[in-house]
Amino acid sequence: MSGGVIAIDGPSASGKSTTARAVAEALGFAHLDSGSLYRGVTVVALREGFRRGLTGANALAALSPETILRAAEDRGLMLQPDGTGFAAYLEGEPAEEALRSVEITAHVSAIAAIPVVREWVNSRLRAMVRAGQDVVVDGRDIGTVVFPDADLKIFLTASAETRAGRRISQRGQRIDPEYLDAETQALAARDRADSTRQVAPLRPAEDAIHLDTTTLDFEEQVQFIVDRARLIFARD
């Protein structure tokens, strides 16, 4: 038995996770945030490096992927049921606050580009669907690699400037022109890195529906996906 899958892909700060969570709640599905696991592995890698006297990129360069993943398992990194979806837990505690720090955001792309890390994450996502769970999954290669046979595929995006403004607002910070420009450039650089990497590059699936949210409000983009999902799953 396997569950239904809605795949939502898109670049950084496109609102994938919040949109996927809202879509899942509207449909009675569970939300799977693949990014939480990648961020969790990044937290583990940096902590393991710090324990060895290393910081930042130096820690990531010095530790083998196998060492990082062993540490992730030893520290109990996993997704556990949390309300309408799943949340990352580390060492038996919710890890959301640690996952969203600026430092983790700066290094997660490097971790997510490691093939064995991607397979480690993907195997955990697929296991939940094989168990019969209906899910909304968000990430960067969900519709192309993780669930190429997903029932519905959405490629969610917005202009880099729009995404930068949203990210700054989410942090509770004031949007001034200089800060907005710096954040926009950072996101554009992240887009280039994610789109050109050799392993699972960011790109829309051929059969994905493109949804540009630059001029949409949150409720509109959620309703767009929910309406299409109901058409598909009503036929099943």
Side-chain angles (χ1 to χ4, degrees), residues 154 209-211 219-228:
I154 302 291
I209 297 173
H210 290 244
L211 179 57
E219 290 73 19
E220 289 174 327
Q221 67 193 49
V222 169
Q223 194 61 51
F224 178 94
I225 300 171
V226 169
D227 288 345
R228 278 145 188 81

Side-chain angles (χ1 to χ4, degrees), residues 162-234:
T162 297
R163 288 184 282 132
R166 291 171 180 171
R167 171 159 282 181
I168 294 170
S169 296
Q170 288 173 350
R171 294 173 184 157
Q173 299 170 320
R174 183 173 61 86
I175 302 178
D176 64 66
E178 183 176 354
Y179 194 18
L180 178 62
D181 182 62
E183 189 72 24
T184 299
Q185 291 185 41
L187 283 176
R190 175 76 181 272
D191 291 348
R192 287 192 295 272
D194 288 343
S195 299
T196 58
R197 67 191 184 195
Q198 292 185 341
V199 179
L202 169 67
R203 59 181 176 83
E206 291 184 359
D207 53 346
I209 297 173
H210 290 244
L211 179 57
D212 189 328
T213 68
T214 300
T215 60
L216 296 179
D217 62 31
F218 183 71
E219 290 73 19
E220 289 174 327
Q221 67 193 49
V222 169
Q223 194 61 51
F224 178 94
I225 300 171
V226 169
D227 288 345
R228 278 145 188 81
R230 284 177 172 156
L231 288 173
I232 291 171
F233 289 99

